[in-house]
Amino acid sequence: MASLGRALLWQLRPSDVEVELLAHTRRVVSRDLEEETGLHTGWIQNGGLFIASNRQRLDEYKRLMSLGKAYGVESHVLSPAETKKLYPLMNVDDLYGTLYVPHDGTMDPAGTCTTLARAATARGAQVIENCPVMGIRVRTDDFGVRRVAAVETEHGAVQTPCVVNCAGVWADAVGRMAGVKVPLVAMHHAYVVTERIEGIQNMPNVRDHDASVYLRLQGDALSVGGYEPNPIFWEEVSDKFAFGLFDLDWDVFTQHIEGAVNRVPVLEKTGVKSTVCGPESFTPDHKPLMGEAPELRGFFLGCGFNSAGMMLGGGCGQELAHWIVHGRPEKDMYGYDIRRFHHSLTDHRRWIRERSHESYAKNYAVVFPHDEPLAGRNMRTDPLHEELLARGCVFQERHGWERPGWFNPGGAAPVLPYDYYGAYGHQAHQDHAYNQLLGAEYTFDFPPHHEVIRQECLACRGAAAVFDMSYFGKFYLVGVDARKAADWLFSADVSRPPGSTVYTCMLNARGGTESDLTVSRLAPGPEASPLAPAFEGDAFYLAVGGAVAQHNWSHITSVLQDQQFRCQLIDSSEDLGMISIQGPASRAILQEVLDADLSNEAFPFSTHKLVRAAGHLVRAMRLSFVGELGWELHIPGPSCVPVYQAVMAAGAKHGLVNAGYRAIDSLSIEKGYRHWHADLRPDDSPLEAGLAFTCKLKSTIPFLGREALQRQRAAGLRRRLVCFTVDEKVPMFGLEAIWRDGQVVGHVRRADFGFTIDKTIAYGYIRDPSGGPVSPDFVKSGDYSLERMGVTYPAQAHLKSPFDPDNKRVKGIY
């Protein structure tokens, strides 16, 4: 389909990783391929215009502009009059403003692919066309691990330990050949090419997000396309349709023509020269599917590009090559990794269809910081779901789980079944309290319930709060080699006496952080219980963030397989609930519920015990993720509701409140605790992130990533995670540019408002523009500001947490 028209390349997206991927594609098609082959890829740099019809849309573009400054992407906010001067054929009467990116452009897919094939064959690759794949041969090794063995074709088998599934809408069929689940759907996706338009030559490409339409320059004509709320699903994907096209359904497509005519009125009098409607694959979160499939070693995905395959292809291709050759990509590709989806969802057809539809229909919607999907909800609920819903819980969706976001004083706000936004004859929900609360979040200012989240945070700091964390991943590592595996997997020394709990990281070979988690050493037990399997020797209980549980499971499993450790990973995530009681009153509350002495001497920080809570056996851990005195209770599913109710009853006289993850986000950033995949990613090392204390570098114990950390430490850190506070009460969410002494030195990864210190708090990695190491003195000596939507705000840099830097509160010292 793409080869029939030019492909767009926009440089700015609301993701730092995507900006880097797009920059690589642009370098390849605009420079590298031509230098290597002498062939022109068809790259045309005519610029790009983002259209804003309202203030919120322009605010979104200003956020992109600020992020672009950290990556050297030139962009300018233009007034309607300036836009008219740049694009005389445009109607600007209803414009709020535009964002102009002069170095955006288009490429010729056919020319680019031809040039890539020429470069690949020159380096020894072989390209075989018209060779259908009939099957994938799989073998099971001596350890019971399934691995790719060969590809079956009409002309014979190709022996190979590695296959990359880049089959687009047919990727699901190829996956099924190998027993691999590929969560995507096929839809009709269309554009039309107009007749010649006088004066359109050299005009920038246009994205009018509010009209859900794009206008792409095609010589002296325009291509018009977009994303409609009622796309046509291709229900029966045919393997005989490789270069076929569908008839265009004008009833569906007309809305794009109307939006285009409003923006460029001359189109009303311009004919259509050709229509193109072909099959395109779309995924549940509008991100590509990449990486090694968890079901089959050696089977990699490179599909589901949601009609952005050409502009993401260069960057994604490079990362996929690194993945295959070196075991992981260079950049943080978690957002594209197939392991971001829980295995229970990747073949759930209704969930895939609903979420893919919503992602398609909302592709041009403003990307707000706290948006949540309405499709595919209530897939995984924990035992406390109904109890919390009745108490006004507004849920977030992560990894299929419904987890508490915040608590609405106005009462219950259930998530209703998906209504397809009224498309396909569905009746759109009229009275949907959850959707109305979500709509109030559609702002780049503080949301209307900012004060509600503040009350949850201050209650935790002043008295106590209870958090339902049942959605956490809960694994047991047991077996003959469990201790040997734990030493290798975890950066911290977890081989401590039973009853200990250790906060640690898991690293990759490059020293990047694949996870942070807690690991608890278990005492041997000959009989299984709801809180531990039967085992002899060593065993460890792992608690990992629920949103990344599948990623953790797959990482650990791969390492166990690669190292041939004789041990087993057992997933008890669905069997156990977890509540956490945090705050200065937590000891007094829990002392009424637990049959154990909770004093510092009897129950020190970072330890765990099996105790009874209101008569029910639970595993109590003295831990904190918000910087307070507190305990986690890991509870068998049937016991969750009575234990929760007992805690709430005991806490009534102590000011105990329910709180959600919005409060956790604020409380944890205030304390300086890291969030994996925000502050801490697979391309960030613990040394850069200020987590050297989680690494057993002073010991002689080998662990995965150790050599990389030693090399990094010897060479000096080239970047460092720094905390910033801003006195002015302005909301920040991440992606803001970090200025130091008049130069951009990085961008904010995560930001939130700290209610206890009453300031905006932000974390971001900074570099020395001269390329030297980033020392603590370098951090302290700079004059900083953070740029939010084009406006800079003075900021203070901190090397320690601005709240309770001496960690007194977690020790119960108030």
Side-chain angles (χ1 to χ4, degrees):
M1 173 184 167
S3 62
L4 296 169
R6 301 193 60 78
L8 290 160
L9 193 150
W10 314 95
Q11 293 178 90
L12 292 179
R13 303 266 277 217
S15 156
D16 58 339
V17 174
E18 287 195 4
V19 170
E20 293 181 25
L21 296 173
L22 293 166
H24 180 79
T25 301
R26 191 183 177 285
R27 280 193 301 273
V28 168
V29 299
S30 67
R31 185 191 68 198
D32 296 354
L33 272 176
E34 188 167 358
E35 288 179 358
E36 183 169 333
T37 65
L39 297 176
H40 187 45
T41 61
W43 168 255
I44 295 174
Q45 182 181 297
N46 59 316
L49 262 178
F50 291 114
I51 305 296
S53 303
N54 55 68
R55 184 179 70 83
Q56 285 184 328
R57 182 68 76 176
L58 194 62
D59 283 347
E60 180 185 37
Y61 296 158
K62 288 177 179 177
R63 293 188 76 216
L64 297 183
M65 177 181 68
S66 293
L67 175 63
K69 289 180 181 176
Y71 287 97
V73 179
E74 180 187 352
S75 64
H76 309 274
V77 173
L78 305 182
S79 67
E82 291 168 325
T83 305
K84 184 74 172 179
K85 188 174 181 182
L86 177 67
Y87 202 125
L89 294 179
M90 184 175 290
N91 165 34
V92 300
D93 294 345
D94 58 348
L95 288 196
Y96 202 85
T98 58
L99 181 69
Y100 175 49
V101 188
H103 294 100
D104 285 351
T106 64
M107 60 187 120
D108 171 31
T112 301
C113 291
T114 300
T115 312
L116 278 168
R118 175 77 61 89
T121 51
R123 294 187 181 202
Q126 188 177 5
V127 178
I128 304 171
E129 298 188 69
N130 301 313
C131 183
V133 172
M134 312 303 291
I136 309 290
R137 198 184 300 163
V138 175
R139 68 179 179 88
T140 302
D141 69 15
D142 294 341
F143 288 82
V145 179
R146 298 177 72 245
R147 298 182 182 275
V148 169
V151 177
E152 306 278 5
T153 78
E154 280 186 347
H155 308 293
V158 180
Q159 308 296 320
T160 176
C162 177
V163 167
V164 186
N165 182 358
C166 299
V169 294
W170 297 274
D172 182 38
V174 173
R176 283 198 301 271
M177 293 176 183
V180 171
K181 298 176 287 188
V182 183
L184 52 73
V185 297
M187 295 185 191
H188 295 206
H189 195 55
Y191 66 88
V192 302
V193 182
T194 71
E195 300 284 0
R196 184 178 188 278
I197 302 171
E198 188 60 45
I200 205 70
Q201 296 79 3
N202 303 317
M203 290 295 102
N205 305 304
V206 174
R207 252 186 165 176
D208 190 340
H209 286 100
D210 294 314
S212 200
V213 67
Y214 67 79
L215 305 169
R216 179 181 63 217
L217 189 69
Q218 190 121 339
D220 57 4
L222 285 179
S223 293
V224 178
Y227 294 83
E228 57 279 355
N230 56 336
I232 301 170
F233 288 91
W234 192 20
E235 303 291 0
E236 299 295 330
V237 176
S238 167
D239 58 6
K240 304 286 191 286
F241 202 81
F243 296 100
L245 292 173
F246 306 113
D247 292 333
L248 184 69
D249 187 323
W250 283 100
D251 289 338
V252 173
F253 194 82
T254 298
Q255 57 196 290
H256 301 314
I257 294 294
E258 291 170 353
V261 167
N262 175 61
R263 191 54 56 223
V264 181
V266 70
L267 286 175
E268 190 169 20
K269 301 172 185 173
T270 305
V272 171
K273 182 166 61 179
S274 60
T275 66
V276 179
C277 183
E280 180 63 82
S281 58
F282 294 91
T283 62
D285 58 0
H286 218 75
K287 303 284 187 189
L289 307 175
M290 295 180 63
E292 191 175 31
E295 306 98 322
L296 179 61
R297 300 303 301 270
F299 190 95
F300 287 82
L301 298 170
C303 52
F305 278 86
N306 304 283
S307 77
M310 289 304 300
M311 65 175 160
L312 287 172
C316 287
Q318 176 177 252
E319 295 306 314
L320 194 53
H322 273 274
W323 223 322
I324 294 166
V325 175
H326 301 294
R328 70 162 314 298
E330 280 197 309
K331 296 181 175 60
D332 164 44
M333 298 296 286
Y334 173 73
Y336 290 2
D337 192 334
I338 182 63
R339 298 178 297 178
R340 69 190 185 271
F341 298 123
H342 190 256
H343 63 82
S344 67
L345 304 176
T346 48
D347 64 348
H348 194 292
R349 300 317 299 176
R350 179 178 62 80
W351 179 83
I352 295 168
R353 187 182 182 94
E354 285 187 5
R355 287 291 281 270
S356 298
H357 169 268
E358 183 178 46
S359 295
Y360 182 102
K362 288 179 66 173
N363 185 42
Y364 278 1
V366 177
V367 180
F368 290 107
H370 298 296
D371 198 10
E372 294 290 330
L374 296 175
R377 295 295 295 266
N378 296 315
M379 298 298 296
R380 305 172 75 196
T381 56
D382 68 52
L384 293 174
H385 185 265
E386 294 302 319
E387 184 86 14
L388 298 183
L389 183 64
R391 295 172 186 255
C393 182
V394 180
F395 287 94
Q396 302 173 339
E397 186 276 336
R398 299 292 184 274
H399 216 46
W401 281 110
E402 298 291 326
R403 75 175 191 185
W406 55 284
F407 284 79
N408 172 35
V415 183
L416 301 181
Y418 188 49
D419 62 9
Y420 283 87
Y421 294 94
Y424 311 119
H426 288 266
Q427 186 70 38
H429 296 311
Q430 298 301 311
D431 184 18
H432 193 178
Y434 181 88
N435 195 18
Q436 290 161 9
L437 291 170
L438 194 62
E441 294 267 29
Y442 290 167
T443 176
F444 292 109
D445 295 321
F446 292 118
H449 46 269
H450 184 65
E451 182 64 23
V452 177
I453 297 167
R454 174 178 178 272
Q455 295 297 337
E456 292 181 15
C457 291
L458 296 183
C460 180
R461 293 276 187 242
V466 59
F467 302 88
D468 174 21
M469 304 177 69
S470 299
Y471 97 117
F472 257 48
K474 297 169 280 284
F475 309 145
Y476 295 100
L477 181 65
V478 300
V480 176
D481 289 338
R483 183 168 180 174
K484 195 187 299 184
D487 284 343
W488 180 251
L489 274 164
F490 305 121
S491 62
D493 183 3
V494 299
S495 293
R496 299 185 186 182
S500 63
T501 296
V502 177
Y503 172 67
T504 181
C505 295
M506 288 192 290
L507 310 182
N508 53 51
R510 295 182 54 178
T513 312
E514 293 289 338
S515 169
D516 70 329
L517 67 160
T518 59
V519 178
S520 300
R521 182 84 179 273
L522 300 181
E527 294 185 14
S529 80
L531 286 163
F535 68 93
E536 294 179 1
D538 300 302
F540 301 86
Y541 176 58
L542 284 49
V544 303
V548 292
Q550 185 71 51
H551 175 85
N552 277 260
W553 175 272
S554 299
H555 173 74
I556 295 169
T557 302
S558 296
V559 173
L560 297 180
Q561 292 170 0
D562 292 344
Q563 298 296 315
Q564 298 183 351
F565 288 127
R566 293 166 298 165
C567 51
Q568 185 182 7
L569 192 64
I570 301 168
D571 187 354
S572 293
S573 305
E574 309 276 353
D575 306 319
L576 298 174
M578 190 210 306
I579 59 173
S580 185
I581 300 89
Q582 301 284 324
S586 60
R587 179 182 279 134
I589 294 167
L590 287 175
Q591 198 63 79
E592 297 182 28
V593 180
L594 305 184
D595 67 345
D597 181 353
L598 302 183
S599 66
N600 283 329
E601 296 73 26
F603 209 138
F605 183 74
S606 216
T607 64
H608 66 94
K609 293 180 180 180
L610 289 179
V611 301
R612 291 205 171 268
H616 298 262
L617 189 66
V618 305
R619 187 181 304 281
M621 294 187 184
R622 187 171 166 193
L623 292 171
S624 181
F625 48 88
V626 296
E628 298 292 334
L629 174 69
W631 279 262
E632 291 176 3
L633 304 182
H634 297 245
I635 313 167
S639 300
C640 285
V641 170
V643 170
Y644 167 81
Q645 290 174 340
V647 169
M648 292 303 292
K653 60 180 175 289
H654 295 281
L656 178 69
V657 304
N658 283 297
Y661 271 81
R662 293 289 284 279
I664 290 176
D665 290 342
S666 170
L667 294 163
S668 64
I669 201 171
E670 199 166 48
K671 188 66 189 75
Y673 291 159
R674 312 300 190 238
H675 277 200
W676 193 83
H677 207 243
D679 315 300
L680 194 59
R681 304 194 307 204
D683 51 352
D684 305 319
S685 84
L687 306 185
E688 296 168 332
L691 295 179
F693 69 91
T694 67
C695 301
K696 50 188 177 238
L697 290 171
K698 292 180 180 176
S699 77
T700 58
I701 304 170
F703 62 92
L704 181 57
R706 179 180 182 124
E707 291 80 5
L709 294 189
Q710 289 172 324
R711 288 192 299 270
Q712 188 178 67
R713 190 170 61 177
L717 299 181
R718 301 293 163 178
R719 59 193 190 115
R720 191 181 290 266
L721 185 65
V722 176
C723 172
F724 299 94
T725 55
V726 178
D727 289 337
E728 190 162 345
K729 290 183 175 56
V730 56
M732 294 186 182
F733 307 103
L735 305 185
E736 294 82 7
I738 302 170
W739 290 83
R740 179 187 184 275
D741 296 344
Q743 291 180 285
V744 177
V745 293
H747 70 276
V748 172
R749 283 278 189 87
R750 181 164 77 107
D752 213 316
F753 195 79
F755 294 100
T756 319
I757 66 171
D758 202 31
K759 292 180 180 178
T760 293
I761 306 170
Y763 275 82
Y765 288 84
I766 68 168
R767 295 179 180 271
D768 182 344
S770 70
V774 179
S775 65
D777 286 341
F778 176 86
V779 174
K780 289 187 286 189
S781 63
D783 182 24
Y784 294 93
S785 60
L786 304 182
E787 181 181 321
R788 174 190 185 269
M789 300 179 186
V791 180
T792 55
Y793 297 88
Q796 290 76 47
H798 305 266
L799 287 169
K800 276 189 154 187
S801 161
F803 174 77
D804 188 26
D806 298 323
N807 285 323
K808 291 181 178 178
R809 297 170 79 101
V810 296
K811 301 167 189 169
I813 303 171
Y814 285 92

